[in-house]
Amino acid sequence: MNNKEGNNNKSGGRANSSRPSSNKPTRAGGERSGAKPAMQKRAQGPKKVKINTKVAAIASDKVEKKPNQAPKRPKVKDEIRLNKYIANSGACSRRDADIYIQSGNVKVNGIPVIEMGYMVKPGDVVNFDGNVLTPEKKEYILLNKPKNFTTALDEGQEYRNVLELVKGSTTSKIGAVGRMDKNTTGLLLFTNDTDMIRKFTLPTNKSSKIYQVSLDKNLKFEDLEKINKGLVLDGHRVFVEDVSYIEGESKSEIGLKLRSSNVKVVRSIFEHFSYDVLRIDRVAFAGLTKKNLPRGNWRMLTEQEIINLKNS
């Protein structure tokens, strides 16, 4: 064996072959003749620090508490804000209830509560200014109002009040949603839900009402077009969703669809164009209709109808 072979054996290498020599270093740590230097290890930057997103989210949600502010927590089914609970019992308005709460005159289960936004749970006993409160169940009654009844409560009036027509429907103290004079007929909603009454009397309410209007003469087509485009009455813009002649009737019978629940607005629209209004009949109110409800009769709303009203 020659020296070359001996050196190869000592270094752990193979015998001469046609394969190219390896660039790997020898066991002794040296490099073979003509071999390229080994590739250096890529330099690594500083390790990225993993952020605990859960902890960060909790920290970001922390808001400095204001005085008398109840801590946020998930709402439990059938809970109700304390001020609304008091208002529903008929003791006072929500705004006045807030004043009573801040002054310490309200107790829940015997403990004074001054936190704004406190939630009352089913079974809680609420003591308001020394009296235990019992909130009324919300009632919703739909009446098909006849003529010669009015929503006015003035003493000594000539015409009877609409509340006579729904007498016996409930023991709760209810009120009409909006006003109707003696000559106006059709759908009129009654409830003890003050939030509902306020909602439908606001000018921003977007629910539709449909009226059938009887005029003293035929409505001119050009006037119908002007009404359809909307008009200004007493400095206020009135938006009309639709106006049309009623099919099969004379052109003095008009269908009018708009958002206002104020019957005076309906009358003023046609008087603006020099027409006398003989009759106004509200045939639809926020999705409710007169179907199966004869004139002078009333019925309780279904659960689904109540949900629809609250979402309208």
Side-chain angles (χ1 to χ4, degrees):
M1 184 180 294
N2 55 26
N3 291 337
K4 186 176 180 181
E5 290 175 345
N7 291 338
N8 288 341
N9 289 339
K10 288 179 183 179
S11 61
R14 295 181 180 178
N16 290 340
S17 65
S18 60
R19 296 179 63 183
S21 61
S22 171
N23 291 334
K24 294 181 181 180
T26 62
R27 288 182 183 177
E31 294 183 359
R32 289 196 177 121
S33 175
K36 293 181 180 180
M39 184 179 292
Q40 293 183 355
K41 202 171 183 181
R42 181 179 292 177
Q44 295 182 353
K47 291 184 178 180
K48 294 182 180 180
V49 180
K50 290 185 178 180
I51 300 174
N52 190 331
T53 55
K54 191 172 182 181
V55 174
I58 294 173
S60 63
D61 287 342
K62 286 184 179 179
V63 181
E64 184 181 351
K65 269 200 227 175
K66 296 179 181 179
N68 297 336
Q69 184 178 16
K72 290 183 178 180
R73 60 183 177 83
K75 187 177 180 180
V76 180
K77 185 180 179 182
D78 297 329
E79 278 188 331
I80 183 173
R81 292 175 71 94
L82 181 56
N83 62 351
K84 186 175 181 180
Y85 184 99
I86 295 171
N88 289 350
S89 69
C92 63
S93 66
R94 281 200 200 186
R95 184 174 295 179
D96 289 340
D98 287 337
I99 297 173
Y100 278 93
I101 293 169
Q102 289 177 319
S103 62
N105 290 329
V106 179
K107 295 180 181 179
V108 179
N109 301 325
I111 302 173
V113 174
I114 59 172
E115 297 174 352
M116 305 308 297
Y118 183 90
M119 304 299 290
V120 179
K121 300 182 292 295
D124 285 348
V125 178
V126 178
N127 189 293
F128 175 82
D129 205 22
N131 298 312
V132 176
L133 298 182
T134 305
E136 292 182 325
K137 178 186 175 183
K138 298 304 176 189
E139 305 281 7
Y140 304 88
I141 301 154
L142 186 65
L143 169 72
N144 188 351
K145 177 189 166 301
K147 286 182 65 175
N148 298 329
F149 285 83
T150 176
T151 55
L153 296 173
D154 300 332
E155 294 184 3
Q157 61 187 3
E158 181 182 354
Y159 297 95
R160 297 160 67 183
N161 190 272
V162 290
L163 288 173
E164 296 180 29
L165 298 169
V166 292
K167 188 177 180 180
S169 60
T170 178
T171 56
S172 301
K173 185 179 179 180
I174 57 175
V177 179
R179 297 180 180 181
M180 272 194 179
D181 57 34
K182 63 182 180 65
N183 292 321
T184 304
T185 59
L187 296 179
L188 183 61
L189 182 65
F190 294 85
T191 182
N192 59 345
D193 187 343
T194 54
D195 290 337
M196 180 77 74
I197 295 174
R198 182 167 55 251
K199 172 182 177 178
F200 283 105
T201 52
L202 290 174
T204 54
N205 184 258
K206 297 182 179 180
S207 60
S208 299
K209 294 86 181 174
I210 301 176
Y211 301 87
Q212 181 173 342
V213 184
S214 301
L215 304 177
D216 63 329
K217 56 188 175 183
N218 291 344
L219 178 66
K220 296 177 182 178
F221 182 76
E222 52 266 32
D223 290 337
L224 183 142
E225 287 291 298
K226 291 176 183 177
I227 293 172
N228 199 36
K229 292 177 182 178
L231 61 158
V232 177
L233 297 175
D234 298 327
H236 299 282
R237 184 75 178 174
V238 177
F239 295 95
V240 176
E241 294 185 50
D242 192 21
V243 59
S244 62
Y245 300 113
I246 295 178
E247 187 176 353
E249 300 285 347
S250 67
K251 291 188 177 181
S252 62
E253 296 294 323
I254 309 300
L256 180 69
K257 182 179 180 181
L258 70 167
R259 294 175 180 175
S260 177
S261 59
N262 189 344
V263 179
K264 288 184 178 180
V265 174
V266 179
R267 191 177 298 277
S268 297
I269 288 174
F270 294 98
E271 289 178 347
H272 180 76
F273 294 95
S274 301
Y275 295 91
D276 289 334
V277 177
L278 304 180
R279 287 180 300 276
I280 299 175
D281 186 34
R282 184 190 283 160
V283 297
F285 180 91
L288 302 172
T289 67
K290 298 193 297 181
K291 185 178 180 180
N292 299 325
L293 188 62
R295 190 83 74 197
N297 289 28
W298 58 266
R299 67 173 178 84
M300 307 297 289
L301 295 191
T302 65
E303 289 296 327
Q304 187 58 53
E305 287 173 331
I306 296 170
I307 292 172
N308 294 342
L309 277 182
K310 290 181 177 180
N311 292 333
S312 63

